[in-house]
Amino acid sequence: MILLDNKFMSALRSYRMKSFQHKYWKSILKIMERQNGEFYDNTIEPMLPFINKPGIALSFDDSFRVNHWYTYGKDIFGYYDVKVTFNINTFHHFENQREHSQKEIDMLLELQSNGHEIAHHGFKHTRAANYSNEFGISRWVEEDILPLINWMEEQSHSRTNEKFKKPVTYAFPFFNYNNDNIKELVPKYFKIIRGHLYGDNLTAFNYTGFAPSICIDNNKLSDVKYIIKMLKVAKQTGRNIILTCHSILPEEAVWEDSGWGWEKAGEWRISPKTLQTFINEAKKNDMEFYTTSEIAGVATFIDRNLEKCIREHISNPIEPWVKISDLSSIKELDLSNKNISNLDGLQYLVNLEKINLSNNNIADLRLLKKLPKLKDINL
């Protein structure tokens, strides 16, 4: 009798949870639809990436999960195809809070070399609002913001010597923040800071400030149909949607096998199958895949010699962020004898017709294929 009662109560709790989740997702979708009654007419002008072509930004938090990202996400995302943002810390949440190993740093840098953004998620993964309320904004910045920026600058890949780009965007740990945190970080340290639900949950191009996101982990998402409908709303409005998750793990993967404990951490995950569903749907809707920094309108570069050359072609070479919009006017580029080894960043020169890359040390030329108007190449 007791066993039957336990099963009944468990089934009742499951039913209540599913009912709550459906109401939760319906309310988010209704807000998006209600606040976007007049849709953008995308037939008036051509849809151009980074300019006005709506897209999806996938955002993954907590870099102790880097092996999950690398193992199950790298092939799904491809090379400068489905670009995503990985928000990192400097330590492993479990395993005695150790600093990231060189192997983990190499994985992060290899993900960056495939077109992905490595963004800031707090040196200590601190709850921003709680910590700054207790100890002050300045101490929070000194202990959780600046140390990670400095740590990223100090790291390099063990084989290629490539380094992290300076972070452009920041994601609040635990979605914990207040207006003072936002004002302190933007635009002094970051162009976009990402939180959770806000407004209609869509973000415009060239955006500066707080950007909302929608969490799609298994423990939050009750039915993929809600995200599919939200993608359509984003497409119709001509804006972008940011979707947040944590680990990428197959449905059959057992969290306890990691040996890390704290089962709740294992609930923050999405399966490759579900992720592929959203990717396929976005492609079906002819949506672009952006990093969060691209939604901010910022062009970034792995090779600092290349960035220096590109800055010589913009109106204000010393401004903190290179604007993607400033690069569309460049049609010819002479990069000969500039000691360049990586072409990351060239993908933003969408109108480039002619380039000279002679006498450099470039092993990978695949990005040149991403330039639709490039016809004259000197290697």
Side-chain angles (χ1 to χ4, degrees), residues 10 59 72 87 93 150 199 320:
S10 177
S59 185
Y72 299 106
N87 303 291
H93 284 52
N150 295 333

Side-chain angles (χ1 to χ4, degrees), residues 85-101:
T85 298
F86 297 109
N87 303 291
I88 72 167
N89 320 106
T90 58
F91 70 100
H92 199 293
H93 284 52
F94 307 100
E95 299 188 6
N96 298 318
Q97 305 280 299
R98 64 168 175 79
E99 187 174 307
H100 277 312
S101 67

Side-chain angles (χ1 to χ4, degrees), residues 51-273:
I51 306 300
N52 61 0
K53 185 177 181 181
I56 174 176
L58 292 164
S59 185
F60 296 85
D61 291 357
D62 303 342
S63 51
F64 78 88
R65 307 172 191 268
V66 60
N67 190 54
H68 302 164
W69 301 342
Y70 191 89
T71 302
Y72 299 106
K74 188 178 178 183
D75 290 340
I76 292 177
F77 302 141
Y79 178 78
Y80 288 83
D81 181 18
V82 179
K83 292 171 290 181
V84 309
T85 298
F86 297 109
N87 303 291
I88 72 167
N89 320 106
T90 58
F91 70 100
H92 199 293
H93 284 52
F94 307 100
E95 299 188 6
N96 298 318
Q97 305 280 299
R98 64 168 175 79
E99 187 174 307
H100 277 312
S101 67
Q102 184 62 54
K103 180 180 179 181
E104 290 167 337
I105 292 168
D106 284 355
M107 286 192 285
L108 289 169
L109 286 164
E110 286 169 28
L111 289 169
Q112 177 181 262
S113 70
N114 272 17
H116 307 302
E117 175 186 15
I118 308 298
H120 198 301
H121 194 44
F123 182 75
K124 296 181 178 180
H125 199 251
T126 300
R127 296 177 187 267
N130 295 357
Y131 194 87
S132 56
N133 285 339
E134 183 174 357
F135 300 106
I137 288 284
S138 297
R139 183 169 170 181
W140 168 63
V141 171
E142 290 171 2
E143 296 187 358
D144 208 45
I145 302 301
L146 295 178
L148 180 51
I149 294 174
N150 295 333
W151 181 87
M152 291 176 71
E153 176 61 27
E154 293 168 357
Q155 310 310 314
S156 59
H157 193 282
S158 61
R159 180 174 53 81
T160 66
N161 292 321
E162 286 181 355
K163 300 181 70 66
F164 288 112
K165 303 175 184 179
K166 182 180 177 180
V168 176
T169 66
Y170 170 83
F172 281 112
F174 305 102
F175 305 128
N176 181 269
Y177 54 88
N178 58 35
N179 287 332
D180 290 337
N181 298 129
I182 296 171
K183 291 177 182 177
E184 183 66 23
L185 295 188
V186 179
K188 186 177 181 180
Y189 297 105
F190 307 103
K191 189 83 160 43
I192 278 185
I193 47 178
R194 195 219 72 206
H196 197 212
L197 305 175
Y198 183 78
D200 65 1
N201 297 307
L202 298 176
T203 304
F205 288 96
N206 302 312
Y207 188 76
T208 301
F210 176 85
S213 70
I214 301 172
C215 184
I216 56 172
D217 283 311
N218 288 359
N219 61 338
K220 294 290 184 182
L221 185 61
S222 58
D223 195 325
V224 297
K225 70 180 181 182
Y226 292 111
I227 301 301
I228 290 174
K229 290 179 179 179
M230 290 176 187
L231 291 177
K232 291 179 180 178
V233 174
K235 173 64 184 294
Q236 291 169 323
T237 61
R239 289 189 290 157
N240 308 291
I241 186 170
I242 302 175
L243 302 178
T244 295
C245 33
H246 292 74
S247 285
I248 305 172
L249 284 172
E251 294 175 358
E252 64 272 15
V254 179
W255 181 260
E256 287 76 6
D257 291 345
S258 68
W260 293 337
W262 199 51
E263 294 181 14
K264 283 190 176 181
E267 296 173 1
W268 299 88
R269 60 196 278 182
I270 188 171
S271 71
K273 181 180 178 181

